[in-house]
Amino acid sequence: MFATRFAPSPTGRLHRGHAFSALTAHAAARHVGGRFVLRIEDIDATRCRPEFEAAIRDDLAWLGLDWEQPVRRQSEHLADYHAALDSLIARGLTYRCFRTRKEIAQDIAGAPHGAMETWRGAPLPADEEAARLAAGESFAWRLSLDAAERALVGDLSFVEEGEGPEGEHGIIPIDPTLGGDVVLARKDVGVAYHLAVVVDDALQGISHVIRGRDLFQATHVQRRLQALLNLPAPVYRHHRLLLGADGRRYAKRDRAETLAELRAGGMTPEALRRELGFD
């Protein structure tokens, strides 16, 4: 059965870009009589706030959307993600990385152009790792691309029904270098986005992932994790990004005008839907 989702993080108020993505996914599900799922991706306890989660639900209801109940909140299902992480650790597909973000940024700055997407590390010698753990040093669990390449047999790909940033469509071969040795978990935010999202998509039976083109490259990482965890691969449908009058995409960090502000200014949901192309 067709099933898709809208999965915001409650780190701020929704804006037009969020509305466009939610309406796109909702319309796709309703067009074929499928399922539309709302998922609250709130595993980052340092940034997520209950008031933003409540606002998300209010904004989507104001837009006229409905969704399955109950809503899955990632913070209530940490055991699912840790089980997946433990399976990767047990198979030797991960390693503890003690490097800070600053140290990795320095490595990237001193490497050839594009190294951000291909950064690879390696586990420390056992005695050094044991000493650092005994000293209480922080670390992140990273997926080892080298180990993943040895574990995976054959070429991986995903189906793109929409369009990537460069017009990519159809069967997309996985680029094994994209993302580098991605973080799967760290102390400050717990399990990381890439791992949680593939577990959730599988557990919720998501058949189609409909989202913005800014996440197209993340699909390469997520498809690799799906294969390593023996999870089903959804079909992907990346859509265009909504741009403001300045030509930049709407973003929380740029303080894009929120749906709450639009409401306060007198805009109706019907007017916003028409503006975004959903009559």
Side-chain angles (χ1 to χ4, degrees):
M1 181 180 184
F2 185 104
T4 191
R5 42 70 163 185
F6 178 62
S9 295
T11 57
R13 300 297 299 253
L14 299 186
H15 50 61
R16 279 183 173 88
H18 294 117
F20 179 77
S21 192
L23 287 165
T24 299
H26 187 268
R30 293 297 176 259
H31 180 70
V32 296
R35 299 167 51 219
F36 176 74
V37 172
L38 172 63
R39 178 195 305 154
I40 302 297
E41 298 193 341
D42 62 342
I43 52 176
D44 186 351
T46 65
R47 299 174 60 229
C48 295
R49 298 287 183 271
E51 59 268 28
F52 292 141
E53 179 180 338
I56 286 170
R57 298 175 191 243
D58 289 345
D59 286 342
L60 296 179
W62 176 77
L63 279 172
L65 304 188
D66 58 346
W67 51 87
E68 285 188 355
Q69 297 291 342
V71 172
R72 182 176 176 92
R73 301 176 69 246
Q74 288 185 332
S75 60
E76 298 173 348
H77 299 277
L78 299 180
D80 292 332
Y81 316 133
H82 284 290
L85 176 63
D86 289 344
S87 72
L88 296 173
I89 293 171
R91 292 161 58 197
L93 297 171
T94 64
Y95 62 92
R96 293 183 179 92
C97 177
F98 292 85
R99 292 197 180 198
T100 64
R101 293 182 179 92
K102 181 178 179 180
E103 290 170 336
I104 291 175
Q106 289 172 340
D107 283 351
I108 292 169
H113 179 70
M116 183 179 294
E117 296 177 349
T118 59
W119 187 88
R120 299 193 189 201
L124 295 174
D127 56 346
E128 183 180 351
E129 182 176 277
R132 290 197 171 202
L133 289 173
E137 292 189 30
S138 296
F139 66 87
W141 284 109
R142 288 185 178 270
L143 178 68
S144 169
L145 276 185
D146 292 335
E149 288 170 0
R150 292 192 295 270
L152 295 172
V153 178
D155 296 328
L156 289 178
S157 63
F158 63 92
V159 177
E160 175 59 63
E161 288 188 344
E163 191 171 85
E166 304 299 325
E168 300 94 338
H169 181 81
I171 306 299
I172 310 297
I174 293 298
D175 183 341
T177 66
L178 282 180
D181 286 3
V182 295
V183 170
L184 298 180
R186 59 164 41 105
K187 185 176 182 180
D188 56 347
V189 297
V191 175
Y193 162 74
H194 288 302
L195 183 60
V197 74
V198 299
V199 171
D200 284 341
D201 285 343
L203 288 176
Q204 294 189 288
I206 300 301
S207 66
H208 288 69
V209 173
I210 300 174
R211 61 189 184 186
R213 289 176 189 160
D214 55 323
L215 289 171
F216 180 81
Q217 289 194 346
T219 309
H220 293 256
V221 175
Q222 292 163 15
R223 181 68 189 93
R224 186 181 306 117
L225 283 170
Q226 289 159 357
L228 291 170
L229 292 167
N230 197 30
L231 300 176
V235 171
Y236 289 85
R237 191 181 295 175
H238 291 92
H239 59 69
R240 67 183 177 89
L241 299 178
L242 205 65
L243 304 179
D246 59 0
R248 301 171 63 184
R249 72 182 182 91
Y250 292 98
K252 293 177 186 175
R253 64 177 178 273
D254 295 330
R255 300 185 61 81
E257 189 175 24
T258 68
L259 301 188
E261 290 168 338
L262 292 175
R263 288 204 301 278
M267 178 169 279
T268 66
E270 294 78 16
L272 181 58
R273 291 171 69 99
R274 284 195 301 271
E275 176 190 316
L276 299 179
F278 297 89
D279 294 323

